[in-house]
Amino acid sequence: MEGMKQIEAGDLNVGYAEAGPTDGPAVVLLHGWPYDIHSYVDVAPLLAEAGYRAIVPYLRGYGTTRFLSSETLRNGQQSVLAVDVIALMDALQIEKAILAGFDWGARTADIIAALWPERCKALVSVSGYLIGSPEANKMPLPPRAELQWWYQFYFATERGRFGYDKYRHDFAKLIWTIASPRWDFDDATFDRSAASFENPDHVDIVIHNYRWRLGLAEGEPKYDDLEKRLAEGPLISVPTITLEGDANGAPHPDATSYAKKFSGKYAHRVITGGVGHNLPQEAPQALTEAVVEVDGY
């Protein structure tokens, strides 16, 4: 993506793309796993044309984002990713931003909207309310739902860590295919994003994230208070639009299950046409329109 920059923020030196006027309303666009900033390769220019300042950071463990210290735990627990984004906003002197995301990025945006509403002007969350807790995750799901999480159980083993490290390119491509069964992406599109998984901390962050969810890896004690608040399933009061593709092959909650989690002005949209999990890249116009719409709430 054009406009690539680096900035020290919190525990990280963050790589991010920026588009649009620096004095425009800020929109922070957050990617998921196994994706990267190119999920927003078409969204960022559209927002820039509409007068917004689009910021698209690589999450910890992706692309050009690096830890400042070799001593820092390569932690992937949910609250940490939100703390990273708050630190980035602080470093960029952005007091308040519209947040939009999918997958890990949607969960991160949800967390900021819930715990730091004063920093979030409005929210666009693909697949809705994704805040969870290791305690809640101890409850088994019906077998078909568990099957969708096969990779989480794989990652719980050392064989899985080794396998993901060894085959991360093929692994990610398989996830893309399963998660977006009707998205006809080409090798060049995939390879552009796959380059970001060569980050030296990528495997550690991904494995820790999924093991932490199952209670198989500890988080950092300094984030215990945040996780305790998140485990209570806090309501989100900021204006929100949730989106779902009509062909999302990845595990995702039904929209009726989370509608009541949004206590402010709220709308849900289903994006049709075979749109899968990577909604911003598969339906950039729809994501952009949601950001502009929710900004007007």
Side-chain angles (χ1 to χ4, degrees):
M1 283 175 79
E2 291 179 22
M4 287 305 302
K5 300 179 180 181
Q6 296 285 142
I7 192 168
E8 289 193 6
D11 290 335
L12 305 170
N13 184 290
V14 179
Y16 67 100
E18 181 169 352
T22 54
D23 60 348
V27 184
V28 180
L29 303 165
L30 300 170
H31 70 81
W33 172 86
Y35 305 93
D36 81 328
I37 62 172
H38 291 94
S39 291
Y40 297 98
V41 69
D42 297 316
V43 172
L46 288 170
L47 286 172
E49 282 173 30
Y52 290 91
R53 179 189 184 189
I55 309 285
V56 196
Y58 281 114
L59 302 184
R60 54 170 56 198
Y62 295 79
T64 59
T65 291
R66 296 289 186 275
F67 284 86
L68 296 174
S69 169
S70 59
E71 304 297 309
T72 306
L73 179 70
R74 275 31 180 180
N75 180 355
Q77 73 185 99
Q78 63 178 354
S79 59
V80 171
L81 297 165
V83 169
D84 287 347
V85 175
I86 294 289
L88 175 63
M89 288 173 63
D90 288 346
L92 293 172
Q93 297 182 309
I94 296 170
E95 194 172 325
K96 205 166 191 174
I98 299 165
L99 295 170
F102 74 105
D103 197 85
W104 290 20
R107 180 176 297 107
T108 303
D110 288 348
I111 290 169
I112 294 169
L115 300 188
W116 293 279
E118 71 280 0
R119 307 302 298 272
C120 181
K121 184 181 181 188
L123 172 67
V124 176
S125 181
V126 177
S127 299
Y129 189 91
L130 300 178
I131 297 170
S133 72
E135 195 59 39
N137 288 341
K138 287 179 182 175
M139 292 303 295
L141 301 170
R144 191 170 290 279
E146 294 283 21
L147 179 63
Q148 286 193 297
W149 287 107
W150 65 273
Y151 53 87
Q152 187 166 253
F153 300 109
Y154 182 62
F155 289 164
T157 68
E158 282 308 293
R159 175 190 172 106
R161 172 195 283 275
F162 180 64
Y164 183 59
D165 191 13
K166 183 176 182 180
Y167 297 110
R168 66 183 90 173
H169 182 279
D170 292 352
F171 199 105
K173 199 168 194 177
L174 174 62
I175 296 292
W176 276 38
T177 304
I178 293 169
S180 298
R182 292 174 61 187
W183 182 29
D184 189 24
F185 61 88
D186 59 20
D187 287 346
T189 298
F190 174 75
D191 291 342
R192 182 178 61 182
S193 286
S196 74
F197 312 146
E198 297 306 315
N199 181 296
D201 303 302
H202 180 73
V203 174
D204 285 345
I205 295 295
V206 171
I207 297 298
H208 186 269
N209 176 288
Y210 286 103
R211 289 185 181 180
W212 176 85
R213 295 189 201 196
L214 291 179
L216 300 174
E218 294 291 320
E220 287 183 85
K222 64 182 175 181
Y223 302 115
D224 285 353
D225 285 346
L226 293 178
E227 294 296 348
K228 189 176 176 186
R229 291 169 65 192
L230 294 173
E232 292 167 357
L235 294 179
I236 291 174
S237 61
V238 306
T240 301
I241 293 176
T242 55
L243 301 175
E244 191 59 80
D246 66 341
N248 184 359
H252 62 280
D254 186 272
T256 58
S257 72
Y258 55 71
K260 288 192 170 76
K261 285 294 185 182
F262 300 97
S263 62
K265 188 163 182 186
Y266 172 70
H268 178 71
R269 307 261 185 273
V270 176
I271 310 305
T272 59
V275 175
H277 190 59
N278 185 3
L279 188 147
Q281 198 165 354
E282 297 175 62
Q285 193 72 46
L287 193 285
T288 303
E289 286 170 5
V291 169
V292 175
E293 182 183 343
V294 82
D295 187 28
Y297 278 13

